[in-house]
Amino acid sequence: MDAYTGFAEVYDTFMDNIPYEEWADYIIGILREYGIRDGLVLDLGCGTGTMTELLSESGYDMIGVDYSEEMLEIAMKKKEDSGNDILYLLQDMREFELYGTVRAVVSVCDSVNYITSPEELTEVFRLVNNYLDPEGLFLFDFNTVHKYKDIMGDTTIAENREECSFIWENYYYEKEKINEYDLAVFVKEGELYRKFEETHYQRGYTIEEMKDIVEASGLRFLASYEAFSKEAPDESSERVYVIAQECQKKRK
């Protein structure tokens, strides 16, 4: 599991086409549907904190966990600008620790796909289960095998902007269900460009695999949706949202 380093500096620039506000509305709608309108919420794999900030502004007491020091530095700058009371923790999601339980855990932008071992992902979900309040909610999204194999696999994506550019080369390994992507990022500094190179790996999961992993972790699988809808996912789904619930602790 690699952390974003050089790319963190320009991550938000290249993600400016993502409708984060609409995504946040979708997430908040599901949380409220299950009665979670306030309280402690963990953003697992929070990155530069864009979603964490939006959830904080909606009345949740936010904690953000991420493995990339560079991403969290940007998140901290956003926190300083907004004045929102967010706790950020530099931790690997495979062994994260909290000071107590939370009402909900969210993990978006395919963060869980960075866990390329089903056994390790089961352990991540066990930790989520451990840190949830009784009947607390876990809401996460993931990219499917179909997306990596048929949409992204063996493609090259490039974008050229005045202040920075990138080349993103994808290689899909069907047996392992893993997508390797090699990033070359060029950031303008004066008249020259500084080059960063990173390699990342994400594993695609089927809906059936993900349901098995959720249940093996001790969580209760409640529902899965085609992203940003309430429709059931199918073989053509690229991004899927899963709702799971803590079911082992007793309410006081």
Side-chain angles (χ1 to χ4, degrees):
M1 180 179 176
D2 295 318
Y4 283 100
T5 53
F7 190 56
E9 185 177 334
V10 294
Y11 181 85
D12 285 339
T13 299
F14 290 119
M15 294 290 279
D16 62 3
N17 62 331
I18 300 298
Y20 280 110
E21 289 81 6
E22 294 177 24
W23 289 17
D25 288 344
Y26 178 76
I27 292 165
I28 292 164
I30 292 176
L31 292 175
R32 290 178 176 172
E33 181 182 331
Y34 286 87
I36 302 172
R37 297 178 175 274
D38 54 21
L40 278 171
V41 173
L42 168 66
D43 186 357
L44 190 61
C46 64
T48 62
T50 301
M51 185 63 68
T52 326
E53 288 279 346
L54 290 170
L55 293 175
S56 177
E57 289 166 7
S58 296
Y60 297 101
D61 299 319
M62 294 304 300
I63 302 170
V65 166
D66 203 89
Y67 191 42
S68 168
E69 185 174 355
E70 288 81 2
M71 296 286 255
L72 286 182
E73 286 177 358
I74 296 168
M76 289 295 291
K77 291 176 183 176
K78 292 179 183 178
K79 172 185 171 180
E80 291 173 9
D81 292 339
S82 69
N84 289 325
D85 186 15
I86 301 170
L87 172 64
Y88 284 112
L89 301 173
L90 177 62
Q91 295 183 352
D92 186 331
M93 69 168 65
R94 293 170 296 187
E95 50 188 21
F96 75 92
E97 296 181 39
L98 301 180
Y99 303 112
T101 57
V102 297
R103 296 196 69 188
V105 176
V106 300
S107 186
V108 296
C109 296
D110 46 85
S111 293
V112 302
N113 289 100
Y114 280 98
I115 309 299
T116 57
S117 159
E119 293 75 20
E120 288 190 342
L121 188 56
T122 303
E123 181 58 29
V124 171
F125 289 179
R126 281 198 187 105
L127 289 171
V128 168
N129 192 39
N130 179 61
Y131 287 112
L132 279 173
D133 287 347
E135 298 182 6
L137 208 67
F138 181 30
L139 173 61
F140 68 93
D141 70 15
F142 70 95
N143 285 336
T144 62
V145 169
H146 164 65
K147 181 172 183 177
Y148 290 123
K149 178 183 177 182
D150 303 319
I151 307 298
M152 293 178 62
D154 301 317
T155 63
T156 299
I157 303 167
E159 189 168 336
N160 183 29
R161 301 196 186 189
E162 187 172 338
E163 71 276 17
C164 52
S165 306
F166 76 85
I167 302 171
W168 174 359
E169 297 179 290
N170 293 276
Y171 306 95
Y172 182 70
Y173 305 105
E174 187 167 358
K175 182 180 178 181
E176 296 85 0
K177 300 179 183 176
I178 287 179
N179 188 72
E180 171 188 331
Y181 57 93
D182 297 333
L183 282 167
V185 182
F186 305 86
V187 180
K188 191 172 185 180
E189 294 183 351
E191 297 299 318
L192 302 176
Y193 285 82
R194 181 159 49 106
K195 182 181 181 182
F196 300 97
E197 290 183 300
E198 298 182 13
T199 298
H200 292 259
Y201 300 90
Q202 288 187 306
R203 187 189 192 277
Y205 291 91
T206 65
I207 299 164
E208 293 75 17
E209 279 181 311
M210 196 59 81
K211 183 177 181 180
D212 288 344
I213 292 170
V214 165
E215 293 177 342
S217 73
L219 290 159
R220 177 185 290 126
F221 185 94
L222 297 182
S224 60
Y225 296 133
E226 178 79 27
F228 317 117
S229 78
K230 290 296 183 67
E231 302 296 323
D234 57 30
E235 292 182 356
S236 66
S237 298
E238 298 179 27
R239 183 184 299 272
V240 174
Y241 269 81
V242 171
I243 305 171
Q245 188 176 45
E246 195 284 328
C247 63
Q248 297 173 329
K249 303 184 185 81
K250 293 182 179 180
R251 287 183 176 272
K252 294 181 180 180

